[in-house]
Amino acid sequence: MNLSIEPLIYIGIFVGVIMLVEGVYLMVFGKTISLSARVNRRLSLLEKGSSREDVLAKLRKELDQHTGTRTIPLYSLIADKAQKANIAFTPPQLMMVMAGLTVASFMLLTILTGASFPIRLLVSVGMGVGAVFYWVNSKAKKRLSMLEEQLPDAVELIVRSLRVGHPFVSAINTVAKEMSDPLGSELGIIADEAAYGRDVAESIQAMAERLDMQDLRFLAVAVGIQQTSGGNLAEILEGLANVIRARFKLFRKVNAITAEAKWSGMFLSAFPVLALIGINVAQPDYYADVMESPMFIPACAVVAVMLGVNVIFMRMMVNIKV
């Protein structure tokens, strides 16, 4: 029995190009771009001697650079995720990374496998684009998850600052210095924009729309109503913080309840692919007798479509909105 390790080589190359994207990102922008940094990126840039205006312009450029790229055919797949993840790469740079990973994948496939040229070309393009999409999507999920966890604490800190007599903009500026990224830099941008004359409620609303976060929309509405009609903003925000914490607690409960169903769906979706790879590794000529049949390709297409439908329905069943 001959063992074929080509499927494992494909998986190894894909994992390698994903790690390469992260390595290039950290090498270009340094450790300050990491969400695990103790000091948020805005304060790090200020400590390096940059003026407040220059830092604001730099951070605003990074936030808005992916907004107008949704019309680019290939890049439109990741433009929204890249904006939510606040990827510091510009769209041309990110597309160059895709091209570079495609070339690297093609070279590795040429050296390590015996696949034909069309297969190597198609798989390398899929790996280059897929690796960047996976990396950007994971960055976006991690960043949004951290924002949701930080927001109740930030609102409570704003409430405490308001109750000791600080203005709302000053309270945001104070919290921006205390919070780590990603929320620390986001609130710092709002404070800087307010210092240069932009309405603070408008800035919060723009941030909520850019990140597509309902809790931030509530915060923008609360601040806007207080600005126009007056009222005790500290009391309103305290209630908002309690609501956010209650929603977050409910979301965690829903995640715990649906965890088994999610993992079952992932297993059922991945098992046929893993079984196919295992069969190909253990016995490469297993399908040799039927590959010449005219029904082989249509049957493979039907199976692929059914697997895709299975993944869609599994996600629909466990995707509970809170």
Short mmCIF file of all heavy atoms in Angstrom, two decimals, residues 87-156:
data_model
loop_
_atom_site.label_atom_id
_atom_site.label_comp_id
_atom_site.label_asym_id
_atom_site.label_seq_id
_atom_site.Cartn_x
_atom_site.Cartn_y
_atom_site.Cartn_z
N ILE A 87 -7.38 46.73 9.82
CA ILE A 87 -6.12 46.27 9.26
C ILE A 87 -5.32 47.48 8.79
O ILE A 87 -5.81 48.30 8.02
CB ILE A 87 -6.37 45.30 8.09
CG1 ILE A 87 -7.16 44.07 8.57
CG2 ILE A 87 -5.05 44.88 7.47
CD1 ILE A 87 -6.47 43.25 9.61
N ALA A 88 -4.08 47.59 9.26
CA ALA A 88 -3.26 48.75 8.93
C ALA A 88 -2.73 48.69 7.51
O ALA A 88 -2.34 49.71 6.95
CB ALA A 88 -2.10 48.87 9.92
N PHE A 89 -2.70 47.50 6.90
CA PHE A 89 -2.34 47.40 5.50
C PHE A 89 -3.32 48.22 4.65
O PHE A 89 -4.54 48.14 4.86
CB PHE A 89 -2.39 45.95 5.01
CG PHE A 89 -1.17 45.14 5.36
CD1 PHE A 89 -1.29 43.86 5.87
CD2 PHE A 89 0.11 45.65 5.16
CE1 PHE A 89 -0.18 43.10 6.17
CE2 PHE A 89 1.23 44.90 5.47
CZ PHE A 89 1.09 43.63 5.98
N THR A 90 -2.83 48.97 3.69
CA THR A 90 -3.70 49.62 2.73
C THR A 90 -4.25 48.57 1.77
O THR A 90 -3.67 47.49 1.63
CB THR A 90 -2.95 50.70 1.95
OG1 THR A 90 -1.91 50.07 1.18
CG2 THR A 90 -2.34 51.74 2.88
N PRO A 91 -5.37 48.85 1.08
CA PRO A 91 -5.90 47.86 0.11
C PRO A 91 -4.88 47.42 -0.92
O PRO A 91 -4.78 46.20 -1.18
CB PRO A 91 -7.09 48.62 -0.52
CG PRO A 91 -7.55 49.52 0.57
CD PRO A 91 -6.31 49.96 1.29
N PRO A 92 -4.09 48.33 -1.54
CA PRO A 92 -3.07 47.84 -2.48
C PRO A 92 -2.04 46.93 -1.82
O PRO A 92 -1.61 45.93 -2.40
CB PRO A 92 -2.42 49.13 -3.01
CG PRO A 92 -3.46 50.19 -2.82
CD PRO A 92 -4.17 49.81 -1.57
N GLN A 93 -1.63 47.27 -0.58
CA GLN A 93 -0.67 46.43 0.13
C GLN A 93 -1.25 45.05 0.42
O GLN A 93 -0.56 44.03 0.29
CB GLN A 93 -0.24 47.10 1.43
CG GLN A 93 0.64 48.32 1.25
CD GLN A 93 0.92 49.03 2.56
OE1 GLN A 93 0.17 48.88 3.54
NE2 GLN A 93 1.98 49.82 2.60
N LEU A 94 -2.53 45.01 0.80
CA LEU A 94 -3.16 43.73 1.10
C LEU A 94 -3.29 42.88 -0.15
O LEU A 94 -3.12 41.65 -0.10
CB LEU A 94 -4.53 43.97 1.74
CG LEU A 94 -5.09 42.88 2.67
CD1 LEU A 94 -4.06 42.51 3.73
CD2 LEU A 94 -6.37 43.34 3.32
N MET A 95 -3.57 43.51 -1.28
CA MET A 95 -3.64 42.78 -2.54
C MET A 95 -2.25 42.29 -2.97
O MET A 95 -2.11 41.20 -3.54
CB MET A 95 -4.27 43.66 -3.62
CG MET A 95 -5.71 44.01 -3.33
SD MET A 95 -6.51 44.99 -4.62
CE MET A 95 -6.71 43.75 -5.89
N MET A 96 -1.22 43.08 -2.66
CA MET A 96 0.14 42.63 -2.93
C MET A 96 0.50 41.43 -2.06
O MET A 96 1.20 40.51 -2.50
CB MET A 96 1.13 43.78 -2.69
CG MET A 96 1.09 44.88 -3.74
SD MET A 96 2.20 46.25 -3.34
CE MET A 96 3.79 45.40 -3.32
N VAL A 97 0.02 41.43 -0.80
CA VAL A 97 0.24 40.28 0.07
C VAL A 97 -0.43 39.04 -0.51
O VAL A 97 0.15 37.94 -0.51
CB VAL A 97 -0.28 40.58 1.49
CG1 VAL A 97 -0.28 39.31 2.34
CG2 VAL A 97 0.56 41.65 2.16
N MET A 98 -1.66 39.21 -1.03
CA MET A 98 -2.34 38.08 -1.69
C MET A 98 -1.51 37.54 -2.84
O MET A 98 -1.32 36.32 -2.99
CB MET A 98 -3.70 38.53 -2.22
CG MET A 98 -4.76 38.77 -1.20
SD MET A 98 -6.33 39.15 -2.02
CE MET A 98 -7.31 39.69 -0.63
N ALA A 99 -1.01 38.46 -3.67
CA ALA A 99 -0.20 38.04 -4.83
C ALA A 99 1.08 37.35 -4.38
O ALA A 99 1.48 36.32 -4.94
CB ALA A 99 0.12 39.24 -5.70
N GLY A 100 1.74 37.90 -3.36
CA GLY A 100 2.98 37.29 -2.86
C GLY A 100 2.74 35.91 -2.27
O GLY A 100 3.53 34.99 -2.50
N LEU A 101 1.64 35.74 -1.53
CA LEU A 101 1.33 34.42 -0.97
C LEU A 101 0.97 33.43 -2.07
O LEU A 101 1.29 32.24 -1.97
CB LEU A 101 0.17 34.55 0.03
CG LEU A 101 0.46 35.33 1.30
CD1 LEU A 101 -0.78 35.40 2.17
CD2 LEU A 101 1.61 34.70 2.08
N THR A 102 0.30 33.93 -3.12
CA THR A 102 -0.02 33.05 -4.24
C THR A 102 1.26 32.54 -4.91
O THR A 102 1.39 31.34 -5.22
CB THR A 102 -0.88 33.80 -5.27
OG1 THR A 102 -2.11 34.22 -4.65
CG2 THR A 102 -1.20 32.92 -6.47
N VAL A 103 2.22 33.43 -5.12
CA VAL A 103 3.50 33.03 -5.73
C VAL A 103 4.25 32.07 -4.81
O VAL A 103 4.79 31.05 -5.28
CB VAL A 103 4.36 34.28 -6.03
CG1 VAL A 103 5.75 33.87 -6.49
CG2 VAL A 103 3.69 35.15 -7.08
N ALA A 104 4.27 32.37 -3.51
CA ALA A 104 4.97 31.48 -2.57
C ALA A 104 4.31 30.10 -2.54
O ALA A 104 5.01 29.08 -2.52
CB ALA A 104 4.96 32.11 -1.18
N SER A 105 2.97 30.08 -2.54
CA SER A 105 2.27 28.79 -2.54
C SER A 105 2.56 28.01 -3.82
O SER A 105 2.76 26.79 -3.77
CB SER A 105 0.75 29.02 -2.41
OG SER A 105 0.44 29.71 -1.22
N PHE A 106 2.59 28.70 -4.95
CA PHE A 106 2.86 28.03 -6.22
C PHE A 106 4.27 27.42 -6.22
O PHE A 106 4.46 26.29 -6.68
CB PHE A 106 2.72 29.02 -7.37
CG PHE A 106 2.91 28.41 -8.73
CD1 PHE A 106 1.88 27.73 -9.35
CD2 PHE A 106 4.13 28.51 -9.38
CE1 PHE A 106 2.05 27.14 -10.60
CE2 PHE A 106 4.32 27.94 -10.63
CZ PHE A 106 3.27 27.26 -11.24
N MET A 107 5.22 28.16 -5.69
CA MET A 107 6.59 27.64 -5.64
C MET A 107 6.68 26.42 -4.73
O MET A 107 7.35 25.42 -5.07
CB MET A 107 7.54 28.74 -5.17
CG MET A 107 7.68 29.91 -6.14
SD MET A 107 8.72 31.24 -5.48
CE MET A 107 10.28 30.38 -5.31
N LEU A 108 6.03 26.48 -3.58
CA LEU A 108 6.07 25.34 -2.65
C LEU A 108 5.36 24.12 -3.25
O LEU A 108 5.83 22.99 -3.10
CB LEU A 108 5.43 25.74 -1.32
CG LEU A 108 6.23 26.73 -0.47
CD1 LEU A 108 5.41 27.17 0.72
CD2 LEU A 108 7.54 26.11 -0.02
N LEU A 109 4.24 24.37 -3.92
CA LEU A 109 3.53 23.26 -4.56
C LEU A 109 4.38 22.64 -5.67
O LEU A 109 4.35 21.42 -5.87
CB LEU A 109 2.20 23.74 -5.12
CG LEU A 109 1.11 24.10 -4.09
CD1 LEU A 109 -0.08 24.75 -4.77
CD2 LEU A 109 0.67 22.86 -3.33
N THR A 110 5.11 23.48 -6.40
CA THR A 110 5.97 22.97 -7.47
C THR A 110 7.10 22.12 -6.91
O THR A 110 7.46 21.08 -7.48
CB THR A 110 6.56 24.14 -8.28
OG1 THR A 110 5.49 24.94 -8.82
CG2 THR A 110 7.43 23.65 -9.41
N ILE A 111 7.66 22.54 -5.78
CA ILE A 111 8.79 21.82 -5.19
C ILE A 111 8.34 20.54 -4.49
O ILE A 111 8.98 19.49 -4.61
CB ILE A 111 9.54 22.73 -4.20
CG1 ILE A 111 10.15 23.93 -4.95
CG2 ILE A 111 10.62 21.96 -3.46
CD1 ILE A 111 10.74 24.98 -4.03
N LEU A 112 7.20 20.63 -3.75
CA LEU A 112 6.82 19.54 -2.85
C LEU A 112 5.79 18.57 -3.42
O LEU A 112 5.58 17.50 -2.84
CB LEU A 112 6.27 20.13 -1.54
CG LEU A 112 7.25 21.02 -0.75
CD1 LEU A 112 6.55 21.60 0.46
CD2 LEU A 112 8.48 20.22 -0.34
N THR A 113 5.12 18.93 -4.50
CA THR A 113 4.09 18.05 -5.05
C THR A 113 4.34 17.80 -6.54
O THR A 113 5.12 18.51 -7.18
CB THR A 113 2.68 18.66 -4.87
OG1 THR A 113 2.55 19.83 -5.70
CG2 THR A 113 2.43 19.04 -3.42
N GLY A 114 3.63 16.81 -7.06
CA GLY A 114 3.74 16.50 -8.48
C GLY A 114 2.49 16.86 -9.25
O GLY A 114 2.23 16.28 -10.31
N ALA A 115 1.70 17.80 -8.73
CA ALA A 115 0.46 18.20 -9.39
C ALA A 115 0.75 18.90 -10.71
O ALA A 115 1.82 19.49 -10.90
CB ALA A 115 -0.36 19.10 -8.47
N SER A 116 -0.22 18.85 -11.62
CA SER A 116 -0.07 19.49 -12.91
C SER A 116 -0.11 21.01 -12.76
O SER A 116 -0.56 21.54 -11.73
CB SER A 116 -1.18 19.04 -13.86
OG SER A 116 -2.45 19.39 -13.35
N PHE A 117 0.32 21.71 -13.80
CA PHE A 117 0.40 23.17 -13.74
C PHE A 117 -0.95 23.83 -13.47
O PHE A 117 -1.05 24.72 -12.61
CB PHE A 117 1.01 23.72 -15.03
CG PHE A 117 1.06 25.22 -15.10
CD1 PHE A 117 2.07 25.92 -14.45
CD2 PHE A 117 0.08 25.93 -15.79
CE1 PHE A 117 2.11 27.30 -14.49
CE2 PHE A 117 0.12 27.31 -15.83
CZ PHE A 117 1.13 27.99 -15.19
N PRO A 118 -2.05 23.44 -14.16
CA PRO A 118 -3.35 24.08 -13.86
C PRO A 118 -3.79 23.88 -12.42
O PRO A 118 -4.33 24.81 -11.80
CB PRO A 118 -4.31 23.41 -14.85
CG PRO A 118 -3.43 22.92 -15.96
CD PRO A 118 -2.16 22.51 -15.30
N ILE A 119 -3.57 22.65 -11.89
CA ILE A 119 -3.96 22.39 -10.51
C ILE A 119 -3.15 23.23 -9.55
O ILE A 119 -3.68 23.84 -8.60
CB ILE A 119 -3.81 20.89 -10.19
CG1 ILE A 119 -4.73 20.04 -11.06
CG2 ILE A 119 -4.08 20.63 -8.71
CD1 ILE A 119 -6.19 20.32 -10.85
N ARG A 120 -1.83 23.30 -9.78
CA ARG A 120 -0.97 24.10 -8.90
C ARG A 120 -1.37 25.57 -8.95
O ARG A 120 -1.40 26.25 -7.92
CB ARG A 120 0.49 23.94 -9.30
CG ARG A 120 1.13 22.65 -8.80
CD ARG A 120 2.59 22.56 -9.20
NE ARG A 120 2.75 22.19 -10.60
CZ ARG A 120 3.56 22.78 -11.45
NH1 ARG A 120 4.30 23.81 -11.06
NH2 ARG A 120 3.66 22.38 -12.69
N LEU A 121 -1.69 26.08 -10.14
CA LEU A 121 -2.07 27.48 -10.28
C LEU A 121 -3.38 27.76 -9.56
O LEU A 121 -3.49 28.74 -8.81
CB LEU A 121 -2.20 27.83 -11.77
CG LEU A 121 -2.55 29.28 -12.10
CD1 LEU A 121 -1.47 30.22 -11.57
CD2 LEU A 121 -2.75 29.46 -13.60
N LEU A 122 -4.37 26.88 -9.75
CA LEU A 122 -5.67 27.09 -9.11
C LEU A 122 -5.57 26.99 -7.60
O LEU A 122 -6.11 27.83 -6.86
CB LEU A 122 -6.66 26.05 -9.65
CG LEU A 122 -8.10 26.14 -9.14
CD1 LEU A 122 -8.73 27.46 -9.56
CD2 LEU A 122 -8.93 24.98 -9.65
N VAL A 123 -4.84 25.99 -7.11
CA VAL A 123 -4.71 25.81 -5.66
C VAL A 123 -3.91 26.94 -5.03
O VAL A 123 -4.24 27.42 -3.93
CB VAL A 123 -4.05 24.44 -5.36
CG1 VAL A 123 -3.74 24.31 -3.88
CG2 VAL A 123 -4.98 23.31 -5.80
N SER A 124 -2.88 27.42 -5.70
CA SER A 124 -2.06 28.50 -5.15
C SER A 124 -2.86 29.81 -5.06
O SER A 124 -2.74 30.54 -4.07
CB SER A 124 -0.80 28.71 -6.00
OG SER A 124 -1.14 29.07 -7.33
N VAL A 125 -3.69 30.09 -6.06
CA VAL A 125 -4.56 31.28 -5.99
C VAL A 125 -5.54 31.14 -4.83
O VAL A 125 -5.77 32.08 -4.07
CB VAL A 125 -5.29 31.49 -7.32
CG1 VAL A 125 -6.34 32.59 -7.18
CG2 VAL A 125 -4.32 31.86 -8.43
N GLY A 126 -6.13 29.94 -4.70
CA GLY A 126 -7.05 29.71 -3.59
C GLY A 126 -6.38 29.86 -2.24
O GLY A 126 -6.96 30.41 -1.30
N MET A 127 -5.14 29.38 -2.14
CA MET A 127 -4.41 29.50 -0.87
C MET A 127 -4.05 30.95 -0.57
O MET A 127 -4.17 31.41 0.57
CB MET A 127 -3.14 28.65 -0.92
CG MET A 127 -3.38 27.18 -0.76
SD MET A 127 -1.83 26.26 -0.64
CE MET A 127 -2.44 24.61 -0.32
N GLY A 128 -3.59 31.69 -1.60
CA GLY A 128 -3.21 33.08 -1.37
C GLY A 128 -4.38 33.93 -0.93
O GLY A 128 -4.31 34.66 0.08
N VAL A 129 -5.50 33.83 -1.65
CA VAL A 129 -6.68 34.60 -1.30
C VAL A 129 -7.33 34.07 -0.03
O VAL A 129 -7.74 34.84 0.85
CB VAL A 129 -7.69 34.59 -2.47
CG1 VAL A 129 -8.97 35.34 -2.08
CG2 VAL A 129 -7.08 35.21 -3.72
N GLY A 130 -7.42 32.75 0.09
CA GLY A 130 -8.06 32.14 1.25
C GLY A 130 -7.31 32.41 2.54
O GLY A 130 -7.93 32.63 3.59
N ALA A 131 -5.98 32.40 2.49
CA ALA A 131 -5.20 32.67 3.70
C ALA A 131 -5.42 34.09 4.19
O ALA A 131 -5.59 34.32 5.39
CB ALA A 131 -3.72 32.42 3.42
N VAL A 132 -5.43 35.06 3.27
CA VAL A 132 -5.66 36.45 3.66
C VAL A 132 -7.08 36.63 4.20
O VAL A 132 -7.31 37.31 5.20
CB VAL A 132 -5.40 37.39 2.47
CG1 VAL A 132 -5.81 38.82 2.82
CG2 VAL A 132 -3.93 37.36 2.09
N PHE A 133 -8.07 36.00 3.53
CA PHE A 133 -9.45 36.10 4.00
C PHE A 133 -9.59 35.50 5.40
O PHE A 133 -10.22 36.09 6.28
CB PHE A 133 -10.39 35.38 3.02
CG PHE A 133 -11.83 35.42 3.43
CD1 PHE A 133 -12.62 36.52 3.12
CD2 PHE A 133 -12.40 34.37 4.14
CE1 PHE A 133 -13.95 36.57 3.51
CE2 PHE A 133 -13.72 34.41 4.53
CZ PHE A 133 -14.51 35.51 4.21
N TYR A 134 -9.01 34.32 5.62
CA TYR A 134 -9.08 33.68 6.93
C TYR A 134 -8.42 34.55 7.99
O TYR A 134 -8.95 34.72 9.10
CB TYR A 134 -8.42 32.31 6.87
CG TYR A 134 -8.36 31.60 8.20
CD1 TYR A 134 -9.44 30.88 8.68
CD2 TYR A 134 -7.21 31.67 9.00
CE1 TYR A 134 -9.39 30.24 9.91
CE2 TYR A 134 -7.15 31.04 10.23
CZ TYR A 134 -8.24 30.32 10.67
OH TYR A 134 -8.19 29.70 11.90
N TRP A 135 -7.27 35.11 7.65
CA TRP A 135 -6.52 35.95 8.61
C TRP A 135 -7.29 37.21 8.95
O TRP A 135 -7.43 37.57 10.13
CB TRP A 135 -5.16 36.29 8.01
CG TRP A 135 -4.33 37.21 8.84
CD1 TRP A 135 -3.67 36.92 10.00
CD2 TRP A 135 -4.07 38.59 8.58
NE1 TRP A 135 -3.01 38.03 10.47
CE2 TRP A 135 -3.23 39.07 9.62
CE3 TRP A 135 -4.44 39.46 7.57
CZ2 TRP A 135 -2.80 40.38 9.67
CZ3 TRP A 135 -4.00 40.77 7.61
CH2 TRP A 135 -3.18 41.22 8.66
N VAL A 136 -7.83 37.90 7.94
CA VAL A 136 -8.59 39.13 8.18
C VAL A 136 -9.86 38.82 8.97
O VAL A 136 -10.22 39.55 9.90
CB VAL A 136 -8.94 39.82 6.84
CG1 VAL A 136 -9.92 40.97 7.06
CG2 VAL A 136 -7.67 40.34 6.17
N ASN A 137 -10.54 37.74 8.62
CA ASN A 137 -11.78 37.38 9.31
C ASN A 137 -11.52 37.05 10.78
O ASN A 137 -12.28 37.47 11.66
CB ASN A 137 -12.42 36.17 8.62
CG ASN A 137 -13.78 35.84 9.18
OD1 ASN A 137 -14.67 36.69 9.27
ND2 ASN A 137 -13.98 34.60 9.56
N SER A 138 -10.44 36.34 11.06
CA SER A 138 -10.10 36.03 12.45
C SER A 138 -9.73 37.29 13.22
O SER A 138 -10.08 37.43 14.41
CB SER A 138 -8.96 35.01 12.51
OG SER A 138 -7.78 35.53 11.92
N LYS A 139 -9.02 38.21 12.56
CA LYS A 139 -8.69 39.48 13.20
C LYS A 139 -9.95 40.27 13.54
O LYS A 139 -10.06 40.87 14.62
CB LYS A 139 -7.79 40.30 12.28
CG LYS A 139 -6.35 39.84 12.18
CD LYS A 139 -5.56 40.26 13.40
CE LYS A 139 -4.09 39.94 13.23
NZ LYS A 139 -3.29 40.31 14.42
N ALA A 140 -10.90 40.30 12.60
CA ALA A 140 -12.14 41.04 12.82
C ALA A 140 -12.94 40.45 13.98
O ALA A 140 -13.44 41.18 14.85
CB ALA A 140 -12.97 41.06 11.54
N LYS A 141 -13.05 39.13 14.01
CA LYS A 141 -13.80 38.48 15.09
C LYS A 141 -13.15 38.75 16.44
O LYS A 141 -13.84 39.05 17.43
CB LYS A 141 -13.87 36.97 14.84
CG LYS A 141 -14.84 36.57 13.74
CD LYS A 141 -14.91 35.06 13.62
CE LYS A 141 -15.93 34.64 12.57
NZ LYS A 141 -16.03 33.17 12.45
N LYS A 142 -11.83 38.65 16.50
CA LYS A 142 -11.13 38.88 17.77
C LYS A 142 -11.30 40.32 18.23
O LYS A 142 -11.56 40.58 19.41
CB LYS A 142 -9.64 38.55 17.60
CG LYS A 142 -8.82 38.76 18.86
CD LYS A 142 -7.36 38.42 18.62
CE LYS A 142 -6.53 38.66 19.88
NZ LYS A 142 -5.10 38.36 19.69
N ARG A 143 -11.18 41.27 17.30
CA ARG A 143 -11.27 42.68 17.67
C ARG A 143 -12.68 43.04 18.13
O ARG A 143 -12.85 43.74 19.14
CB ARG A 143 -10.86 43.56 16.49
CG ARG A 143 -10.72 45.03 16.81
CD ARG A 143 -10.04 45.77 15.68
NE ARG A 143 -9.75 47.14 16.05
CZ ARG A 143 -10.57 48.16 15.83
NH1 ARG A 143 -11.73 47.96 15.23
NH2 ARG A 143 -10.24 49.39 16.21
N LEU A 144 -13.70 42.58 17.42
CA LEU A 144 -15.08 42.88 17.81
C LEU A 144 -15.41 42.22 19.14
O LEU A 144 -16.13 42.81 19.96
CB LEU A 144 -16.04 42.40 16.72
CG LEU A 144 -16.00 43.17 15.40
CD1 LEU A 144 -16.95 42.55 14.40
CD2 LEU A 144 -16.32 44.64 15.60
N SER A 145 -14.91 41.03 19.36
CA SER A 145 -15.16 40.35 20.64
C SER A 145 -14.53 41.13 21.80
O SER A 145 -15.15 41.30 22.86
CB SER A 145 -14.60 38.94 20.59
OG SER A 145 -14.75 38.28 21.82
N MET A 146 -13.32 41.63 21.60
CA MET A 146 -12.66 42.41 22.65
C MET A 146 -13.38 43.74 22.88
O MET A 146 -13.50 44.20 24.02
CB MET A 146 -11.20 42.65 22.27
CG MET A 146 -10.35 41.39 22.25
SD MET A 146 -8.61 41.69 21.84
CE MET A 146 -8.08 42.60 23.30
N LEU A 147 -13.86 44.37 21.82
CA LEU A 147 -14.62 45.61 21.96
C LEU A 147 -15.89 45.39 22.79
O LEU A 147 -16.22 46.20 23.67
CB LEU A 147 -14.99 46.16 20.59
CG LEU A 147 -13.90 46.94 19.84
CD1 LEU A 147 -14.30 47.14 18.39
CD2 LEU A 147 -13.66 48.30 20.50
N GLU A 148 -16.59 44.30 22.52
CA GLU A 148 -17.81 44.00 23.27
C GLU A 148 -17.52 43.76 24.74
O GLU A 148 -18.32 44.14 25.61
CB GLU A 148 -18.50 42.79 22.65
CG GLU A 148 -19.12 43.06 21.28
CD GLU A 148 -19.67 41.80 20.65
OE1 GLU A 148 -19.39 40.70 21.17
OE2 GLU A 148 -20.38 41.91 19.63
N GLU A 149 -16.40 43.14 25.04
CA GLU A 149 -16.04 42.88 26.44
C GLU A 149 -15.60 44.16 27.15
O GLU A 149 -15.86 44.34 28.34
CB GLU A 149 -14.94 41.83 26.51
CG GLU A 149 -15.38 40.44 26.12
CD GLU A 149 -14.31 39.39 26.39
OE1 GLU A 149 -13.34 39.73 27.10
OE2 GLU A 149 -14.44 38.26 25.89
N GLN A 150 -14.93 45.05 26.42
CA GLN A 150 -14.40 46.27 27.05
C GLN A 150 -15.47 47.35 27.23
O GLN A 150 -15.34 48.19 28.12
CB GLN A 150 -13.27 46.84 26.20
CG GLN A 150 -11.98 46.05 26.23
CD GLN A 150 -10.92 46.69 25.35
OE1 GLN A 150 -11.14 46.94 24.17
NE2 GLN A 150 -9.77 46.97 25.94
N LEU A 151 -16.50 47.34 26.39
CA LEU A 151 -17.45 48.45 26.37
C LEU A 151 -18.16 48.68 27.71
O LEU A 151 -18.26 49.84 28.15
CB LEU A 151 -18.47 48.23 25.25
CG LEU A 151 -19.43 49.40 24.99
CD1 LEU A 151 -18.65 50.67 24.65
CD2 LEU A 151 -20.40 49.06 23.86
N PRO A 152 -18.68 47.65 28.40
CA PRO A 152 -19.33 47.92 29.69
C PRO A 152 -18.40 48.57 30.71
O PRO A 152 -18.80 49.49 31.43
CB PRO A 152 -19.78 46.53 30.16
CG PRO A 152 -19.83 45.70 28.93
CD PRO A 152 -18.77 46.23 28.03
N ASP A 153 -17.16 48.11 30.78
CA ASP A 153 -16.19 48.70 31.71
C ASP A 153 -15.92 50.16 31.34
O ASP A 153 -15.81 51.02 32.23
CB ASP A 153 -14.88 47.92 31.70
CG ASP A 153 -15.05 46.50 32.23
OD1 ASP A 153 -15.95 46.30 33.06
OD2 ASP A 153 -14.28 45.62 31.81
N ALA A 154 -15.80 50.43 30.04
CA ALA A 154 -15.54 51.81 29.61
C ALA A 154 -16.71 52.72 29.96
O ALA A 154 -16.51 53.85 30.42
CB ALA A 154 -15.29 51.83 28.10
N VAL A 155 -17.94 52.25 29.75
CA VAL A 155 -19.11 53.07 30.07
C VAL A 155 -19.18 53.33 31.56
O VAL A 155 -19.51 54.45 32.01
CB VAL A 155 -20.40 52.39 29.57
CG1 VAL A 155 -21.64 53.16 30.02
CG2 VAL A 155 -20.39 52.29 28.04
N GLU A 156 -18.86 52.34 32.38
CA GLU A 156 -18.87 52.54 33.83
C GLU A 156 -17.80 53.54 34.26
O GLU A 156 -18.03 54.36 35.17
CB GLU A 156 -18.68 51.21 34.54
CG GLU A 156 -19.90 50.29 34.44
CD GLU A 156 -19.73 49.01 35.22
OE1 GLU A 156 -18.59 48.74 35.67
OE2 GLU A 156 -20.72 48.28 35.40
#
